[in-house]
Amino acid sequence: MQANASSPMVEEFLDDEIVADDNRPPWFQDPACSKPFTLSKTVDLDFAEECYCAALFPWSEQSLETLWNGEKNHEELRDPWKRMISDWSGALAIGALGSLLVIPLNASRSRKGLSVSVPNQVQNTRGGSDKTAVVALGWALPLEGPLEPHVVFSGGSILYILNVVKGEIIGHLRGHGGPITSIVVHPNYPYLFCTTSRDFTTRIYDLTKSPRQSPDNPCWPPSKTPSLCGAPHGLQASEPEGMGTGRCIAVLCGGPSGGHDAAVLSAAFHPTSPLIATCGLDRAVKIWCYPMLYLDKLAREDKPLFSSTRIHKAHIMSVSWCVSSCEQRIAFSNRRPWQGRLNTDTLVTHSAPALMRRHGRKDDLYYEDGTVTIFRWIGFDRFFPPDHIIGKMLRGCSSDYQESSSFTLISMSSLPRLTRHVHVTQTSTGDYILALSLPDSVRLYNLANFRPRVIAPDPPERDTISDPPERDIVSDFESRLRLDEDGDDEDELVTNLFGKSPELQRWEVLVPGAQESVQSCVLGFGGQLLITIGRRRVWIWRETLR
């Protein structure tokens, strides 16, 4: 299978560059700001059938100082790097039905747009169409060619790698046994990326290597030959992995030993530690350490360092790390009490609405709103103690990878039931912005404004002198037991507010003419640019000049 790049298409979006105003605080730090964004332009994508997801070009001129741990930050690369950033800054990759679109948002750039058609896969079509949808994508940079950005995207269970400078597909990879649900690129080593799938696994890929042409799986006793179990067991099947560039170097396996028991929906690389957080349909959040990598062997891991299904009541749609520098933590601690604990072990997750039973009745069901949760993984310092050398392999005990209690809930807030997409991004000031895509609007929150959840008060102590004697335990149980489930009495819905956080400050951006078509949104340029993606339309918003 191969996808072909078409001729250039969209050429103009923005009229000028985005310039920050240093004289005023940004909108996400100004409680008095009522209109953070102003609509700059609306673009109809008549050549696309339906859009699903998007990703903005993520790097700037200053990124060279941190990428690859600063190894590429030398004099001879700085000028070419600035020219590359000038060419691709503001480029937008959009996943659509049957195609991938790469569109430059800045009219002053010489780059043209690209449209890449995706081969059809019968088992991965959507909405009765015979075309395969692109529902996951990300921007990547190869280690040996950092001046040629790549877009990694999926068509069903197949990965494609697009060189946007050359405008051609340079690699396609197979390995997952089900549709790919998300693609995440490492924030500091952008030649590494991971994919999550409905086959219960997460795979880590390396763009510096070429695909394997024959399986190199481990031997499973009592057999002395390499296993050919394939994707369901996190291994490579008998056919070649693919063509071009890229190789799967590790698999985080699913299954009862410690992996996910259902589809994996999202993942997040830790920016400074060898960790990956995943979440999925099994209501579990898991934190994995990179498995020990061998020169030519496919590494596999089936026991995470942390796993819990007690953070959310429904399947978990996304997970993100909230990691800030020491200076940013000091600034945050002066703004909100809980932000003093924002460290390298803090995560943000969000879940879908949960289908619940009222008073245990099977025939009396209702939906409870989804939640966004900020929590701290307490076990981080146990596996990564400060000022200690980390070993080559980390392994927890059964209480870590089966149902761990080593977490603390910091904040928990309800989400609108019509939420379609959640995007978390870090600004240049270190603030984390949460963007919710609703059918006709976008809601924005600053995680620094999230308040600690409300804890239920302790029950009052009983006064044995003045209070009547306690009732018999058996009599009390009989009075609470419902013997007639088909009774006509109706119980009122009791709403328990304990465990949730107070109402949050938010900013609302109404999307004109959306007609309930908003699919997702992304923030860029340090929170100064908002891109809203509809089914066949793109809305471009710029920060309001105040």
Side-chain angles (χ1 to χ4, degrees), residues 307-323:
S307 177
S308 179
T309 60
R310 295 183 293 176
I311 298 175
H312 292 279
K313 297 181 180 179
H315 58 274
I316 305 174
M317 305 293 293
S318 72
V319 59
S320 302
W321 290 94
C322 287
V323 179

Side-chain angles (χ1 to χ4, degrees), residues 171-192:
H172 65 272
L173 305 170
R174 63 174 61 90
H176 278 295
I180 295 173
T181 55
S182 71
I183 297 175
V184 183
V185 180
H186 197 288
N188 293 331
Y189 299 93
Y191 61 90
L192 296 175

Side-chain angles (χ1 to χ4, degrees), residues 352-498:
L355 184 62
M356 307 293 291
R357 293 178 181 176
R358 186 179 288 110
H359 302 295
R361 294 182 177 180
K362 296 181 180 180
D363 59 344
D364 193 357
L365 306 177
Y366 71 98
Y367 276 98
E368 187 173 295
D369 290 342
T371 56
V372 54
T373 301
I374 303 174
F375 73 95
R376 181 189 176 197
W377 176 37
I378 302 176
F380 184 92
D381 289 336
R382 177 161 62 94
F383 292 103
F384 300 92
D387 302 326
H388 282 70
I389 299 176
I390 307 302
K392 293 183 179 180
M393 178 179 293
L394 296 177
R395 180 72 70 191
C397 56
S398 60
S399 61
D400 291 317
Y401 58 78
Q402 289 183 353
E403 189 63 64
S404 176
S405 300
S406 61
F407 69 93
T408 299
L409 293 178
I410 299 176
S411 180
M412 179 181 293
S413 301
S414 298
L415 290 176
R417 195 168 300 175
L418 297 178
T419 300
R420 292 180 174 176
H421 179 263
V422 172
H423 173 68
V424 178
T425 186
Q426 187 179 19
T427 67
S428 57
T429 61
D431 293 78
Y432 282 88
I433 307 301
L434 179 74
L436 308 182
S437 298
L438 303 176
D440 293 296
S441 64
V442 175
R443 289 184 185 178
L444 304 168
Y445 300 85
N446 188 343
L447 294 186
N449 297 329
F450 275 50
R451 299 178 181 272
R453 62 195 186 103
V454 179
I455 307 298
D458 295 332
E461 297 183 0
R462 179 180 296 275
D463 189 347
T464 57
I465 298 178
S466 59
D467 290 349
E470 296 184 0
R471 298 179 59 184
D472 181 72
I473 297 178
V474 177
S475 301
D476 185 68
F477 175 76
E478 291 177 350
S479 65
R480 294 172 181 269
L481 184 64
R482 183 182 299 275
L483 299 178
D484 185 11
E485 294 186 355
D486 298 327
D488 298 330
D489 54 322
E490 294 291 339
D491 295 321
E492 297 181 0
L493 176 61
V494 179
T495 302
N496 188 1
L497 298 179
F498 295 126

Side-chain angles (χ1 to χ4, degrees), residues 176-182 195-202 262-265:
H176 278 295
I180 295 173
T181 55
S182 71
T195 58
T196 61
S197 173
R198 293 188 177 275
D199 66 356
F200 305 0
T201 68
T202 300
V264 189
L265 300 181

Side-chain angles (χ1 to χ4, degrees), residues 8 30 79 130 293 306 356 478 515 544:
D30 186 2
D79 290 338
D130 58 351
L293 301 179
F306 170 83
M356 307 293 291
E478 291 177 350
Q515 297 179 354
T544 303

Side-chain angles (χ1 to χ4, degrees), residues 44-351:
D44 292 324
L45 303 178
D46 296 331
F47 44 83
E49 294 192 26
E50 185 172 3
C51 300
Y52 299 103
C53 59
L56 270 171
F57 185 82
W59 301 290
S60 63
E61 294 183 4
Q62 293 75 24
S63 300
L64 191 61
E65 301 174 1
T66 57
L67 291 177
W68 306 287
N69 202 23
E71 296 177 0
K72 296 288 186 177
N73 187 21
H74 43 76
E75 190 65 31
E76 56 269 23
L77 188 61
R78 290 173 186 168
D79 290 338
W81 176 265
K82 291 180 180 180
R83 290 194 294 269
M84 187 272 289
I85 296 298
S86 177
D87 287 341
W88 292 103
S89 179
L92 181 68
I94 302 176
L97 182 62
S99 64
L100 170 79
L101 312 177
V102 181
I103 303 172
L105 296 186
N106 203 317
S108 63
R109 305 307 183 217
S110 58
R111 296 293 179 181
K112 307 298 182 181
L114 294 172
S115 176
V116 180
S117 59
V118 179
N120 299 332
Q121 298 182 41
V122 177
Q123 69 274 21
N124 294 311
T125 57
R126 275 203 170 195
S129 173
D130 58 351
K131 295 184 178 180
T132 301
V134 177
V135 297
L137 50 83
W139 289 86
L141 285 177
L143 181 62
E144 301 300 328
L147 302 180
E148 295 186 357
H150 294 358
V151 173
V152 182
F153 64 100
S154 66
S157 60
I158 306 297
L159 271 175
Y160 298 94
I161 302 170
L162 170 68
N163 186 322
V164 295
V165 176
K166 298 179 180 179
E168 59 185 29
I169 298 291
I170 61 171
H172 65 272
L173 305 170
R174 63 174 61 90
H176 278 295
I180 295 173
T181 55
S182 71
I183 297 175
V184 183
V185 180
H186 197 288
N188 293 331
Y189 299 93
Y191 61 90
L192 296 175
F193 65 93
C194 73
T195 58
T196 61
S197 173
R198 293 188 177 275
D199 66 356
F200 305 0
T201 68
T202 300
R203 289 178 171 254
I204 305 174
Y205 288 85
D206 188 345
L207 287 178
T208 65
K209 302 180 181 296
S210 57
R212 291 186 178 90
Q213 299 305 310
S214 59
D216 192 13
N217 296 327
C219 300
W220 283 3
S223 175
K224 297 182 179 180
T225 59
S227 173
L228 298 179
C229 290
H233 298 274
L235 299 177
Q236 183 180 350
S238 57
E239 72 272 7
E241 186 177 8
M243 299 294 293
T245 184
R247 177 189 296 182
C248 179
I249 59 175
V251 180
L252 309 180
C253 304
S257 61
H260 283 281
D261 294 326
V264 189
L265 300 181
S266 180
F269 282 100
H270 194 283
T272 59
S273 299
L275 295 171
I276 298 178
T278 60
C279 63
L281 282 177
D282 55 357
R283 298 185 295 110
V285 177
K286 299 180 184 289
I287 300 176
W288 310 74
C289 183
Y290 298 171
M292 184 179 294
L293 301 179
Y294 301 93
L295 183 61
D296 292 320
K297 295 286 186 179
L298 177 66
R300 57 193 306 275
E301 180 61 76
D302 60 357
K303 292 178 175 61
L305 301 181
F306 170 83
S307 177
S308 179
T309 60
R310 295 183 293 176
I311 298 175
H312 292 279
K313 297 181 180 179
H315 58 274
I316 305 174
M317 305 293 293
S318 72
V319 59
S320 302
W321 290 94
C322 287
V323 179
S324 299
S325 64
C326 180
E327 294 80 5
Q328 292 168 347
R329 291 197 297 272
I330 294 175
F332 285 152
S333 63
N334 295 327
R335 294 165 55 192
R336 285 289 180 262
W338 75 267
Q339 286 286 4
R341 297 192 295 271
L342 181 62
N343 209 322
T344 56
D345 53 7
T346 307
L347 299 97
V348 178
T349 56
H350 97 274
S351 69

